[in-house]
Amino acid sequence: MVYIQGENKPDGDDSDGCPFCRLLDSGQPDSDSLIVARGELVFAILNLYPYNPGHLMVLPYRHVADYTELTAEETIAVAEYTQRAMRVIRKISAPHGFNIGLNQGPVAGAGIAAHLHQHVVPRWGGDSNFMPVIGHTKVLPQLLGETWKLLSDAWVE
């Protein structure tokens, strides 16, 4: 409900109002900001409102909204970090599949449209049950801090 009601949503399209840019500039430890790994051009961060345990996002450091605004190097880095995320998630939790995607613009479902982010969502057979449909909520069997520890430890191995 926090997400639906708009808490933590950006104030505008510039980097000052961007929650991702604010996290990068906050100086807080990666464990607090949920940043799993940092590369030269991109980083991976757990989704604060995950669909499933291990749901993370790959983002360029540069504040850009549209996929076409990425440089060739950033495009490659996003792809390579997405592959790495899949390998790491497979290693620690053996999902049966993945949803991977970019939501370009609010009409396409982007909650934070001003800073491009690619979702990497692990999926398991039967992972959707009555709770999202009837209870309008998702039950996750793992706390974000536990997920962060597993992913960040496996990322460096």
Side-chain angles (χ1 to χ4, degrees):
M1 285 309 296
V2 169
Y3 177 77
I4 292 169
Q5 292 170 347
E7 190 174 315
N8 297 328
K9 291 236 178 155
D11 302 330
D13 290 340
D14 63 353
S15 60
D16 291 339
C18 175
F20 300 128
C21 293
R22 284 195 310 253
L23 280 175
L24 288 170
D25 295 337
S26 73
Q28 61 182 315
D30 286 351
S31 58
D32 291 346
S33 61
L34 301 177
I35 295 173
V36 173
R38 294 173 184 259
E40 184 179 327
L41 299 173
V42 300
F43 65 103
I45 185 170
L46 283 176
N47 191 317
L48 189 56
Y49 307 104
Y51 299 138
N52 275 336
H55 176 179
L56 57 77
M57 299 170 293
V58 176
L59 299 87
Y61 288 112
R62 199 165 57 91
H63 184 85
V64 296
D66 197 83
Y67 188 68
T68 62
E69 296 176 53
L70 292 177
T71 65
E73 293 80 12
E74 288 169 329
T75 303
I76 291 167
V78 167
E80 289 175 348
Y81 246 55
T82 299
Q83 290 176 335
R84 181 76 184 268
M86 291 174 66
R87 289 183 189 107
V88 167
I89 294 168
R90 280 185 177 132
K91 181 178 179 177
I92 66 165
S93 59
H96 301 141
F98 288 90
N99 288 121
I100 296 173
L102 301 163
N103 300 328
Q104 292 284 255
V107 71
I112 302 172
H115 197 136
L116 179 84
H117 53 283
Q118 178 153 278
H119 293 267
V120 180
V121 183
R123 299 298 307 270
W124 292 267
D127 66 9
S128 182
N129 59 33
F130 72 92
M131 291 299 286
V133 176
I134 296 172
H136 303 288
T137 191
K138 179 81 175 177
V139 177
L140 297 175
Q142 192 172 61
L143 297 174
L144 283 173
E146 295 169 356
T147 304
W148 178 87
K149 178 87 172 105
L150 287 168
L151 288 171
S152 63
D153 286 352
W155 201 282
V156 296
E157 291 178 3

